[in-house]
Each structure stands twice: as C-alpha cells, then as structure tokens.
Amino acid sequence: MATVTARHADFAEPVGAWGRAHALWTTIRRKPLGAVSAAVIVTLVLTAVFADVLAPYDPVETRPEIRLQALSWAHPFGTDDIGRDVFSRIIYGARISLWVGLLAVGIGTVAGMIIGLLCGYCEGRVDLVLQRVMDAIQAIPGLVLALAIVSVLKPSTTNAMLAIAIVIIPGNSRIVRGAVLSTKQNRYVEAAHAIGCRHPRIILTHILPNVTAPILVIASIWLGNAILIEATLSFLGLGTQPPTPSWGLMLSSTGRAFMEQAPWLAIFPGLAISLAVLGFNLFGDTLRDAWDPKLRRS
Amino acid sequence: MYKYVFRRLMLAVPVLLMSSLIVFGLMRVMPGDALTALMAESGNVGEKELKKLRMDLGLDKPYPEQYALWVWQMVSLNPGDSIFTNEPIPVALKKAVPVTLELATLAIILGLVIAIPIGVLSATRQDTAPDYVGRVVAVSGLSLPDFWLGTLVITFAAIWFHWIPPIGYTSLWDSPWRNLQQFLLPAAVLGFRLSAATMRMTRSTVLEVLREDYVRTAWAKGLAGRFVVYKHALKNALIPVVTIVGGQLGTLLAGTVVVETIFALPGMGRLTVEAILYRDYPVVQTNVMLVAATLVTLNLMVDLTYAWLDPRIRYR
C-alpha cells in the first residue's frame, strides 16, 4: 500500500511546464525573498538587454578632462581615471556577466546532463570510467582549474566562459546521474522497456522530463557562481580584457589603484557583482523550494 | 575501519593519476612555453641556445616520456626545479606551504567561530530579529566576492584606522605578533566567506535536532537550556556541518589564490598563479597535484570524523 501511495505521489508532482510555473508562482507569492530575487534578476536581464538605451554615455569613451569625478547628477557613479562614466560601464558590465554566466552554465549543464544521463542509464564500465574522470576534475579546485584552462586558451571573455563551463560539468553530471538512477527504478520505465521502447526514446521521453527540475535548480545556483568566477578571473587579469567593461576588471584595473582617492571605482562594481550573485542564489533557493524540496539539504 | 581506509586510499590512486594526466595535458597545450617567457625577459636568445635549453630541461622528449618522468619525480618526492627561477620546487614549496597552511587554518577557525554561534542563535531564536540578522549575514557571505571584500577591508582599515598590514612576509616563528597582523585580515575575509554555508547548515540541522525526542526528554527532565543545546543538540547537529566544511576545502584553497594576491602573501596560491602566467610547467603541475592530493586526503579525514561525532556510524 505504501508503495502505491509513493508511486501516486511521484505522479502527482508538477512535472509539466505549466505545473512548474504554477508551483514557482505560488512559492514566489508566499516568500517575499523569492519575489525580491526574481525582481533583481529581471532588472539585471533588462539592464543587459537595453544597455544601449539605458547607459547615458559610451562605456569606452575616454574624457581625461573629467577624470576621477565624484558622484553627481551627470555621473551618478562618478568617473574613472581616464574619464569614463562608471554608471554606463556597470550597465554594460551586466551584459558581459550575464552573457558569460548564461553561456557557461548552458554549456556546463548540457554537457553535465549528457554525461550524467549516460552514466546513470548505462551504469557499468561507462559509468565507472566517466565518473572517475569527473572525480579527477573535481579533485582540482574550480578556480585553479579555470585559471589553468584560461592560460591554455589565452585570456578572453569567451575562454573564461569555456573554463567555467568545464568546472561546472562534474557537479552537474553527478546530480543528473543520481536523479537518473532513482528515476530508472520507476515502474513506467520498466513498462517502457517491456513494450520494446528503444533506449533513446526511454531516455528522452521517460527519464529526461523527470530530471529537469534538479538540473534547473542547480543551473540557477551555478549562474551566480559563474558570474563570481568570471569576475575573479577578470580581477586576476585572466578573463575579460580592457577596454571591455567587466565588473571584475573594473575592480582590479582602476578600483584598487584609486581606492583611497575614488572609492566609488571599487564600491559600485563590487555591489553590482554581489547583487547579481545574491539574486541568483536566492532565486535558486526559491526554485528549489518550488520544484524539488528533496534537494534542500544538498 | 582499516579496510575502509585502505580501500579509500586505493580508490584515490586512479583519481590522482587521472588528475595528473589532465594537468599535464593542459600544461602541454598551452600557447608558448616557459622558454618563450624566459626569452621575453632576457632579450633575444639564439635558436641554438634555445634548442640546448629545451634538451637540458627535457622538453624535447615525447610527451609520454615527459609524463612518465614527471610522475616518477612526484612519487620519489623530487619534482625537479622551476624552469623560470631555477629554484628546486621543494625549496619553493617549503616557503609557500606554511603561508597557505596558516592562512587556511586561521580562516577555518575564524569561519567556525563566526558560523556556529550565529547558526545556533538563529535556530534557537527562529523567526526573531537575531535569526533574520544571522540569515542576512549568511547570504551576504555567499554573495560578496572575496577580492572585493579584501580590497575594501585594506582600504577602509587605512582610511578609518590609519592602519595597514605590515609589508613583507614575516614567519610565525620570527615574530608572532607581526605575523598575526599580516594574517588576521586575509583570514577574516576568507573565514567570513566560509562561514556563510556553515552558518546556514548549522541553523537548519540544529532546528531539526531540537525537535528530536531525546532533546524533548532533556528539556522535560529540567536541564538548563544552554546544556541541552550545546551538549545534546549541537554534537549531533554537527555531522552535516562537518560535511559542509569538508566540501568547502576546495573553495578555501581556491580562495587563498585571490586573497594571497590581494594581501601580497607568498603562499601556494600566488606561487601557482605566477607559475601559470610564466608557463612554468613543473611548478604548476606540482602545485596543482599537491592541492588535489591534499583535497582527496582531507575528504577522507572528513569522512572518518563522522564516526567520532556519531558512534553509530560504522565503516565497511
């Protein structure tokens, strides 16, 4: 009887897109922090998309005559050491951060998902070998690995993004593998085998829809981390290169050098990074509460 | 127990070998090599000298041979010399490891000192002002970049207190006070970051444990509140906390890279970043492998502490 109830509970979970959207909406309405994080993310996305319209100045235009100007109506976040408007650079920086975050997490999630699906579905030798490779990648701290990869590929925004994607793969593959292993035990997968469904069909139509919730939850939390790693790589001079406006680069290039004279050069990019990371972390928590309460402890 | 430790150690061997292959492979596909960087430093070097240098350093050998030689050097604890500075790597490590070790230890201690009391307070005063403050501190710790926090801490200490950490590294044995002054701020920055996840985990596990029957019994028999929380609840709540701390060791080692760069501490992190920039293969390979081996060992130690915290756990 207990088994039947458990199976019923499995089917009762909101698996479809509409059910998930409804669960998310209910959680956001119940938890104000969820609503705040969603608002932060929407603002960030809109800022990135409409940077051309929102930014009052060209982010790379230099005007030495107004260098290191304090906050004013004309320049709400002041100007940097070569007279560039910090507010405009932060607005354009949102574009870089979001672009790197989305692509890195996208690539890392898809690759991690494919490996996790293969490992969880095939098990045996494929699982053993691939998981040992994942262990080996995870044995090296993410930032150190990203640093080494970026040095191999030459420092640039695209390569920083690729490096972050590689760092993301092992953790994602493990979560997907675990979810696949548990989904595989369900009767409907057994039934699909029994009626002669081919493996790709079982994976794509019976297993994949059941593992998307943990994937999306982890991806949203990783977005914040990806933004943080990109900023760190740029801060160390191995990410986005000047004069492209990146929050991490703004902090390392001018923020540190003129910290005492012009503290706004370091304060605003740092605040922007923190706000974006905070938004994604909190939104990840909200998604987890809405879609996958079992993940709360992981 | 011994069988378990032995099996875990045996499983670590292929993982570390695979990590070594990844690191070796990465270093070999890097654009340019240490010699190119050396040439840039010392002006033009003739093709003949370059060839000789390459031969002396063994860079002309086939990759499998270079890999086998390096693995043998690592196993025999003689990883060779830095291509860039000619200094034997063990000598460089002997200077750098204690710095990182001290920084990491202080950061963990400070992190736990911040996290556990606030986590317990948050749990015992659930949904009150101290709980909200604790949760805000935890979430901000997860979101503030450590390089930003480090920069702000240095600058505002200088502006507000007219104080900057002493320049030039002093070892703990030479001058403990000066050394502490140098390490306190970076360790606090790293510790604050580490404390965030630990604080969240402490809060949720203490909340769970406080609802257990044996805790209710402890309350019922009239034990003092502090005694119930710290003696009965906290010890059992610490198991997932240890897992979180263990899982953060990678974050900690990566964090030292950034913090050592900002606070000019000559530790492993800075040594690795500099070696990566100069394509100093032997140093990067050795450092990354050392970090990977340390992480694998520490994770094993974390697993073994579970049995100490909860005698019901047995290893098979």
Side-chain angles (χ1 to χ4, degrees):
Chain A
M1 190 64 199
T3 321
V4 174
T5 320
R7 296 270 173 256
H8 177 73
D10 279 350
F11 285 112
E13 274 178 20
V15 171
W18 173 248
R20 283 204 185 116
H22 182 71
L24 179 61
W25 176 240
T26 314
T27 314
I28 285 179
R29 275 176 45 194
R30 254 188 295 145
K31 298 198 169 183
L33 268 182
V36 172
S37 64
V40 169
I41 293 173
V42 169
T43 313
L44 186 70
V45 172
L46 290 178
T47 308
V49 173
F50 298 108
D52 304 330
V53 184
L54 292 172
Y57 301 94
D58 181 346
V60 291
E61 186 198 357
T62 58
R63 291 169 65 196
E65 70 277 11
I66 53 161
R67 68 189 291 272
L68 297 178
Q69 269 201 2
L71 320 189
S72 63
W73 284 112
H75 301 282
F77 291 172
T79 58
D80 67 8
D81 59 322
I82 45 175
R84 292 175 297 193
D85 179 50
V86 176
F87 183 61
S88 305
R89 287 181 68 74
I90 286 192
I91 287 177
Y92 274 91
R95 199 174 261 190
I96 298 281
S97 290
L98 211 62
W99 175 244
V100 171
L102 282 174
L103 273 180
V105 172
I107 296 169
T109 304
V110 171
M113 197 170 72
I114 293 170
I115 295 172
L117 277 170
L118 270 176
C119 289
Y121 190 78
C122 303
E123 296 185 64
R125 274 187 201 164
V126 177
D127 181 32
L128 189 78
V129 172
L130 283 175
Q131 283 308 308
R132 291 298 79 76
V133 175
M134 296 297 113
D135 281 344
I137 298 177
Q138 265 189 327
I140 306 166
L143 183 65
V144 176
L145 183 64
L147 278 172
I149 296 169
V150 169
S151 315
V152 173
L153 301 171
K154 283 186 184 165
S156 75
T157 312
T158 319
N159 293 337
M161 187 186 75
L162 279 175
I164 299 166
I166 293 172
V167 170
I168 293 173
I169 294 172
N172 275 345
S173 82
R174 212 153 275 195
I175 285 163
V176 175
R177 177 181 173 271
V180 171
L181 281 174
S182 96
T183 308
K184 246 174 77 175
Q185 307 302 321
N186 285 320
R187 290 270 161 82
Y188 57 83
V189 177
E190 210 176 298
H193 275 296
I195 60 168
C197 283
R198 287 175 184 277
H199 294 307
R201 186 171 168 193
I202 294 175
I203 293 176
L204 293 175
T205 60
H206 296 288
I207 292 180
L208 194 60
N210 285 294
V211 299
T212 44
I215 293 172
L216 288 173
V217 172
I218 297 299
S220 67
I221 293 173
W222 260 113
L223 260 169
N225 282 335
I227 291 175
L228 204 57
I229 300 179
E230 188 276 330
T232 310
L233 288 174
S234 300
F235 179 81
L236 293 170
L238 292 162
T240 306
Q241 298 297 305
T244 315
S246 146
W247 294 337
L249 184 66
M250 285 167 77
L251 207 51
S252 71
S253 57
T254 52
R256 284 179 74 196
F258 298 95
M259 186 70 204
E260 282 186 48
Q261 266 175 283
W264 55 87
L265 290 179
I267 288 174
F268 291 113
L271 274 181
I273 299 169
S274 307
L275 203 65
V277 178
L278 186 69
F280 281 111
N281 279 344
L282 290 176
F283 191 67
D285 284 355
T286 312
L287 276 187
R288 186 188 52 195
D289 289 346
W291 292 348
D292 204 344
K294 280 176 277 180
L295 271 173
R296 244 170 244 175
R297 294 290 299 274
S298 61
Chain B
M1 172 83 169
Y2 292 113
K3 226 173 171 181
Y4 173 80
V5 176
F6 180 74
R7 214 181 61 216
R8 284 284 304 265
L9 285 174
M10 284 299 102
L11 274 175
V13 174
V15 170
L16 287 176
L17 270 177
M18 202 92 75
S19 298
S20 71
L21 262 175
I22 293 172
V23 175
F24 182 85
L26 272 178
M27 291 300 110
R28 291 306 181 275
V29 288
M30 273 192 180
D33 55 27
L35 297 183
T36 323
L38 265 178
M39 272 167 62
E41 280 263 307
S42 57
N44 275 336
V45 178
E47 200 55 44
K48 222 173 169 181
E49 287 95 328
L50 200 66
K51 208 173 164 187
K52 190 181 172 302
L53 261 174
R54 216 175 273 281
M55 214 154 74
D56 290 345
L57 295 167
L59 293 173
D60 60 329
K61 291 186 180 121
Y63 287 155
E65 205 177 315
Q66 283 187 42
Y67 175 71
L69 183 71
W70 171 58
V71 171
W72 172 245
Q73 284 177 328
M74 289 294 286
V75 173
S76 57
L77 301 177
N78 177 26
D81 299 343
S82 152
I83 295 182
F84 205 70
T85 60
N86 275 332
E87 188 178 33
I89 297 171
V91 175
L93 286 178
K94 213 174 159 186
K95 285 187 267 180
V97 170
V99 176
T100 302
L101 212 60
E102 189 184 343
L103 181 62
T105 313
L106 266 176
I108 291 179
I109 294 171
L110 284 174
L112 289 176
V113 166
I114 301 169
I116 292 181
I118 298 183
V120 171
L121 189 78
S122 234
T124 49
R125 308 254 194 285
Q126 194 188 2
D127 294 330
T128 60
D131 181 26
Y132 292 129
V133 172
R135 283 159 74 182
V136 167
V137 171
V139 175
S140 47
L142 282 178
S143 315
L144 301 180
D146 32 23
F147 56 87
W148 186 52
L149 210 55
T151 311
L152 292 187
V153 162
I154 292 185
T155 314
F156 287 109
I159 295 175
W160 290 339
F161 305 109
H162 305 290
W163 181 82
I164 48 164
I167 298 162
Y169 168 70
T170 316
S171 89
L172 182 65
W173 316 116
D174 292 341
S175 170
W177 175 237
R178 200 178 150 87
N179 173 275
L180 193 67
Q181 282 180 300
Q182 283 177 330
F183 276 82
L184 203 60
L185 286 184
V189 168
L190 266 181
F192 178 63
R193 185 149 176 74
L194 289 181
S195 69
T198 317
M199 208 187 296
R200 273 156 69 110
M201 188 48 102
T202 310
R203 179 183 179 274
S204 69
T205 51
V206 170
L207 271 177
E208 247 171 60
V209 173
L210 284 177
R211 286 174 178 77
E212 295 275 344
D213 287 344
Y214 69 89
V215 175
R216 198 178 306 136
T217 311
W219 287 113
K221 69 181 182 185
L223 285 181
R226 188 168 295 187
F227 198 75
V228 174
V229 172
Y230 285 96
K231 174 78 185 170
H232 288 263
L234 190 60
K235 195 175 172 192
N236 284 312
L238 276 182
I239 296 170
V241 174
V242 170
T243 316
I244 281 280
V245 175
Q248 284 181 316
L249 293 168
T251 315
L252 175 68
L253 289 171
T256 56
V257 172
V258 177
V259 171
E260 283 172 10
T261 309
I262 294 175
F263 288 88
L265 292 173
M268 286 278 288
R270 219 175 88 175
L271 185 71
T272 311
V273 171
E274 280 171 7
I276 286 176
L277 292 173
Y278 290 123
R279 284 107 170 105
D280 198 342
Y281 314 125
V283 177
V284 179
Q285 288 170 173
T286 311
N287 286 9
V288 176
M289 278 319 294
L290 196 65
V291 168
T294 311
L295 268 187
V296 170
T297 318
L298 287 175
N299 282 336
L300 174 63
M301 283 163 70
V302 166
D303 286 352
L304 295 178
T305 48
Y306 295 153
W308 173 71
L309 285 167
D310 186 348
R312 287 171 300 181
I313 296 173
R314 289 281 167 267
Y315 298 101
R316 269 177 241 143

